[in-house]
Amino acid sequence: MNKLYLLIPVLCFTFFISGCSSGLDTPDTIVSPPVTTPVSDTDALTTVNVKTYMVDASATAETVALFYNLKKLAKTKFAIGQQDAFNAFYNNGSSSLSDIKKTTGNDPALLGSDFMFITDKNNTGQNDNWFYQQEKKITDDAKQAYAKGMINVFCWHLREPIKEESFYANDMSAAEKATAFKSILPGGSKHDWYKLKLDKIASVISNLKGSNGELIPIIFRPFHEFDGNWFWWGADYCSPEDYKTGFQFTVNYLKNSKGLHNVLYAFSPDNTYLTSTNYLSRYPGDAFVDVLGMDNYGDFNNQGQAGSDRANTKLKMVSDLAKSKVKIAALTETGYQVTTTNTPISGWFSNYLYNALTANNVEISFVMFWNNTRDGYYVPTPSVPNAPDFTSFTSKPKSVLVNILPKMYVLPN
């Protein structure tokens, strides 16, 4: 095993412990012309016209149903999920049960996964290869989640195209940061490299099938948290037009060139955007987005009620945009990691988070917690002090785990 092979798992392990975003509540600095977006009645969505609001007019029946049911769910409830729920555990690496099920008795309603290891340059496709083993584990988990009636959501921590060693901008030179994203766009020096990565994703998605051979729908979040500066696709390293081009190409390539019709596409910045004008400054367009998301750790990082209210204001903005555009709204990542140095916050789940997700007529379809590890957790296990707080959160009227999740893959009559 060479030195580089060893380096990559270390980088990934550090990432998964620390969470996805920087955790900072950074100021709103991106400016674009004003956008006025009236809020419409989401009852405009029907089982007959649902495809007209989706990215893919040729979406499979199950994917159409997922869009419709998620959109309707938000009117009364929100689904609760966790990244790597079946394979990332707090202080218990041998269990086959999700930590959410250990604590509440039920699995989450969503499973978060990542294409990171699947598209890694060291993935040989051989059974004895560690990265391929992760690919098998991830795809098996996605199939298991679907069989349980859960929803699959994939992010992608794509390593930079120069050395393929990291997705963090801080690990790159100034010249690499300035050219990396542009290089993967059509006409760029790494465009063919990027298409090969998408080919791998397409191969995996097209082989995710249920027990009857049907394609399993997924929600895909390419280039997430792009308003920050921690990833090489961040706002400091590509223009709004370049970002839109990259997002649009990704969708068109998977949908049209590769013929994938079991994907919903999510637009998910971090929490810096305070207005719809700025939120839409890098928006690729309604024809390329099914889910309007937001990742937010910073407002929940021991910020009390003030942080909860800030998060709610931002989610209200996203929710209103989703209503007007007839799209799905979601808190695509969040959490507060408890470790030996970060103690639990009283009422974090049942008070602060629940308030952010429900106050002011917010309509959010789902919330995704980041993954647990041996040394820290975002979702409590039964023996930790804030387990009752989490149980209370999942028992509230608008909270949904898999046990009360509606049938998401069948359109209602």
Side-chain angles (χ1 to χ4, degrees):
M1 191 176 294
N2 62 39
K3 188 174 182 180
L4 179 58
Y5 184 91
L6 290 171
L7 172 63
I8 294 173
V10 170
L11 287 173
C12 299
F13 181 70
T14 302
F15 162 74
F16 280 111
I17 288 178
S18 61
C20 199
S21 77
S22 67
L24 299 177
D25 189 15
T26 51
D28 187 10
T29 57
I30 299 174
V31 178
S32 61
V35 175
T36 301
T37 308
V39 177
S40 66
D41 186 349
T42 57
D43 285 338
L45 180 69
T46 70
T47 56
V48 175
N49 68 13
V50 55
K51 285 188 178 183
T52 64
Y53 299 110
M54 297 175 62
V55 169
D56 190 353
S58 300
T60 66
E62 291 80 11
T63 308
V64 172
L66 179 60
F67 181 97
Y68 179 90
N69 289 324
L70 271 174
K71 182 62 180 168
K72 291 296 185 178
L73 180 69
K75 297 179 73 65
T76 57
K77 298 181 184 297
F78 59 84
I80 299 167
Q82 187 174 25
Q83 188 78 11
D84 301 320
F86 298 149
N87 273 293
F89 312 112
Y90 172 61
N91 205 23
N92 181 359
S94 61
S95 175
S96 59
L97 299 179
S98 67
D99 282 351
I100 287 181
K101 185 164 187 175
K102 294 173 199 168
T103 302
T104 67
N106 294 291
D107 272 317
L110 305 97
L111 173 66
S113 301
D114 199 326
F115 288 119
M116 175 173 59
F117 297 139
I118 291 172
T119 59
D120 194 280
K121 68 178 180 180
N122 292 295
N123 187 342
T124 65
Q126 302 300 312
N127 288 331
D128 61 349
N129 176 259
W130 184 87
F131 291 90
Y132 182 67
Q133 290 168 5
Q134 304 314 301
E135 176 183 332
K136 290 292 294 178
K137 185 182 295 186
I138 290 164
T139 53
D140 287 347
D141 284 354
K143 293 173 184 178
Q144 178 187 354
Y146 176 75
K148 290 174 179 280
M150 297 167 59
I151 302 154
N152 282 290
V153 183
F154 277 77
C155 64
W156 190 18
H157 291 92
L158 174 63
R159 303 192 195 285
E160 41 75 24
I162 298 99
K163 299 174 184 175
E164 297 189 57
E165 292 180 357
S166 178
F167 39 79
Y168 285 127
N170 282 345
D171 296 326
M172 303 167 67
S173 69
E176 289 169 343
K177 287 186 281 192
T179 59
F181 193 84
K182 189 175 285 291
S183 76
I184 70 170
L185 302 181
S189 61
K190 293 291 183 178
H191 184 59
D192 287 342
W193 170 90
Y194 183 57
K195 288 196 293 185
L196 288 175
K197 298 299 184 183
L198 291 178
D199 289 345
K200 176 63 178 180
I201 285 178
S203 175
V204 168
I205 293 175
S206 63
N207 283 290
L208 288 177
K209 295 181 180 179
S211 58
N212 295 319
E214 76 279 18
L215 290 167
I216 296 173
I218 72 160
I219 298 171
F220 179 32
R221 302 195 298 129
F223 304 123
H224 68 298
E225 295 178 9
F226 52 84
D227 49 324
N229 61 6
W230 43 92
F231 296 139
W232 60 268
W233 55 83
D236 287 356
Y237 319 119
C238 66
S239 70
E241 288 309 310
D242 282 347
Y243 182 84
K244 294 175 189 178
T245 298
F247 197 108
Q248 291 166 356
F249 174 81
T250 301
V251 173
N252 279 333
Y253 189 77
L254 293 177
K255 180 182 67 167
N256 300 326
S257 298
K258 305 305 294 186
L260 295 183
H261 301 297
N262 54 323
V263 183
L264 300 179
Y265 296 92
F267 177 77
S268 53
D270 198 55
N271 69 19
T272 63
Y273 295 134
L274 307 177
T275 68
S276 59
T277 300
N278 288 345
Y279 183 87
L280 295 172
S281 62
R282 290 174 179 256
Y283 185 63
D286 292 349
F288 301 92
V289 174
D290 295 295
V291 179
L292 299 179
M294 177 174 283
D295 293 7
N296 194 344
Y297 296 87
D299 289 329
F300 297 107
N301 188 14
N302 206 14
Q303 301 295 304
Q305 190 61 49
S308 174
D309 291 343
R310 283 197 303 273
N312 175 255
T313 298
K314 295 170 186 178
L315 288 175
K316 174 67 171 174
M317 177 264 292
V318 174
S319 171
D320 285 351
L321 278 172
K323 289 177 184 178
S324 68
K325 294 176 176 296
V326 193
K327 301 293 184 181
I328 296 159
L331 180 54
T332 39
E333 274 186 44
T334 195
Y336 175 77
Q337 189 184 38
V338 177
T339 64
T340 55
T341 55
N342 287 342
T343 57
I345 297 170
S346 178
W348 191 92
F349 292 101
S350 60
N351 182 11
Y352 301 131
L353 180 60
Y354 192 78
N355 169 79
L357 289 166
T358 58
N360 297 315
N361 298 312
V362 164
E363 293 184 7
I364 297 295
S365 293
F366 66 85
V367 54
M368 182 76 75
F369 296 109
W370 200 241
N371 63 350
N372 287 0
T373 70
R374 180 184 61 189
D375 301 315
Y377 65 86
Y378 289 92
V379 170
T381 48
S383 61
V384 300
N386 59 341
D389 180 35
F390 183 72
T391 301
S392 175
F393 167 74
T394 61
S395 301
K396 284 182 173 290
K398 292 191 174 184
S399 300
V400 174
L401 294 173
V402 72
N403 60 310
I404 56 173
L405 184 69
K407 291 183 178 180
M408 302 304 290
Y409 302 106
V410 179
L411 278 176
N413 294 324

